[in-house]
Amino acid sequence: MITFEHVSKIYSNGVRGLQDVNLTIGNGEFVSIIGLSGAGKSTFLRSINRLNDITEGEVCVNGRSVTKAGKKELRAIRRRIGMISQNFNLVKRSTVQKNVLSGRLGYYSTWKSILGIFSKEDYELANDALERVGLLDKLHSRSDELSGGQQQRVSIARTLVQQADIILADEPVASLDPITTQKIMQDLKQINQTMGKTVIVNIHSVQLAKQFSSRIIGFKSGCVVFDGTPEKLGGKELTEIYGRNILEEKEGAQDEA
Ligand SMILES: Nc1ncnc2c1ncn2[C@@H]1O[C@H](COP(=O)(O)OP(=O)(O)O)[C@@H](O)[C@H]1O
Ligand SMILES: [Mg+2]
């Protein structure tokens, strides 16, 4: 469970990234975060694992305060939170296997992680994770030889070997074509449904948010202006988030074509 209590974030330049955010995300939810560029989606996501320090309020994950956590505790909390992003964050010259195994590093002391010593179980976890995303045959390929969609699946596999309970995805499909986008979203959904992991996705497409999530949260200027099921997100709510009903405009555009 993730809780935000009166969370605000003011950047050093005075920009308000988040403004008095209060919400709870339960285990096993599939949440999409929507809103215009600059609305605070990334700030929100990065506050969960404290890649951003918040200015006010408190963030808790599974009952532990992320905000007040010391170094050691933060490391333990972060171990259980996987993150994937638009640019995949892989070591391009390394093999798929090494990239996936790096998800285990949070479980080792610094010297072991520097030496890259992994156990037999780690290798098995890596194989299982790659099998789950359909990439076991790429085990020894160099990561930069893979397509964008395959690279994103490697980064998903890395969160699986990390044994994260929560997967944070910051615009995971922003650089992918529509068909690959569907596959990646389906992978995330499948992991959510079969493994019970909480998935939180920042996403630009309202249609994808509606298609895949059990809950949608809309941000505007750092504030939560919508929080509900996909069915509840209609024209009025979209206008509140985006300043206009963008789904209707899309339909209109298709009619003209
Ligand atoms: N490191 C930073 N320093 C100053 N302002 C920032 C920084 N990161 C983000 N912001 C500002 O905070 C607001 C929210 O940004 P962000 O969370 O990245 O929005 P989104 O992900 O929805 O596009 C924006 O106005 C952005 O310009
Ligand atoms: Mg962003």
Side-chain angles (χ1 to χ4, degrees):
M1 194 163 93
I2 300 165
T3 59
F4 274 61
E5 260 182 64
H6 297 294
V7 173
S8 294
K9 163 73 179 175
I10 303 172
Y11 285 103
S12 52
N13 59 0
V15 171
R16 287 177 179 274
L18 296 175
Q19 298 197 57
D20 196 26
V21 174
N22 293 283
L23 51 83
T24 299
I25 295 175
N27 293 338
E29 287 196 60
F30 192 117
V31 183
S32 286
I33 311 291
I34 61 171
L36 291 168
S37 288
K41 304 182 295 296
S42 295
T43 307
F44 172 74
L45 216 61
R46 295 164 63 88
S47 298
I48 296 171
N49 58 0
R50 216 169 100 189
L51 286 180
N52 274 343
D53 274 310
I54 57 172
T55 319
E56 271 173 53
E58 186 167 26
V59 177
C60 292
V61 172
N62 297 330
R64 296 156 106 174
S65 174
V66 175
T67 312
K68 293 178 186 154
K71 227 177 168 179
K72 203 173 163 195
E73 173 140 40
L74 186 60
R75 201 171 120 94
I77 295 171
R78 280 183 177 160
R79 200 181 280 166
R80 308 311 294 263
I81 306 177
M83 194 157 199
I84 67 174
S85 64
Q86 180 178 350
N87 55 16
F88 322 129
N89 277 331
L90 302 179
V91 181
K92 292 199 168 59
R93 294 163 154 276
S94 271
T95 63
V96 166
Q97 184 184 46
K98 278 194 181 140
N99 270 289
V100 174
L101 279 170
S102 73
R104 298 302 299 160
L105 291 177
Y107 290 91
Y108 288 107
S109 62
T110 315
W111 70 268
K112 266 201 170 171
S113 53
I114 289 170
L115 293 175
I117 300 171
F118 294 103
S119 67
K120 192 165 152 270
E121 287 75 26
D122 294 334
Y123 284 97
E124 280 165 11
L125 280 172
N127 287 359
D128 289 350
L130 282 168
E131 190 159 32
R132 195 173 267 274
V133 297
L135 282 180
L136 191 52
D137 58 323
K138 300 289 183 196
L139 190 65
H140 300 295
S141 302
R142 251 177 68 151
S143 302
D144 55 6
E145 290 166 1
L146 304 185
S147 70
Q150 289 171 331
Q151 290 188 43
Q152 193 59 293
R153 302 221 293 276
V154 172
S155 79
I156 292 172
R158 186 174 51 194
T159 69
L160 296 182
V161 307
Q162 194 184 333
Q163 296 183 311
D165 315 308
I166 300 168
I167 297 178
L168 308 177
D170 199 351
E171 298 192 20
V173 293
S175 59
L176 302 175
D177 63 77
I179 293 178
T180 311
T181 290
Q182 284 289 324
K183 286 194 189 139
I184 294 293
M185 292 301 288
Q186 273 157 11
D187 280 345
L188 289 172
K189 186 82 187 172
Q190 201 229 348
I191 287 164
N192 164 255
Q193 293 194 322
T194 62
M195 304 176 86
K197 294 178 189 291
T198 308
V199 176
I200 309 177
V201 186
N202 284 355
I203 198 151
H204 268 295
S205 161
V206 173
Q207 265 141 345
L208 289 173
K210 279 178 166 276
Q211 184 185 350
F212 288 99
S213 15
S214 53
R215 175 178 176 187
I216 298 175
I217 299 175
F219 275 89
K220 184 185 182 184
S221 307
C223 299
V224 174
V225 292
F226 175 80
D227 186 350
T229 57
E231 299 75 50
K232 292 230 168 80
L233 183 67
K236 184 169 143 275
E237 291 75 20
L238 286 168
T239 305
E240 175 78 25
I241 300 167
Y242 292 102
R244 41 188 206 200
N245 183 352
I246 54 170
L247 277 185
E248 206 162 65
E249 283 170 25
K250 271 242 173 74
E251 281 159 21
Q254 273 168 2
D255 289 345
E256 282 161 32

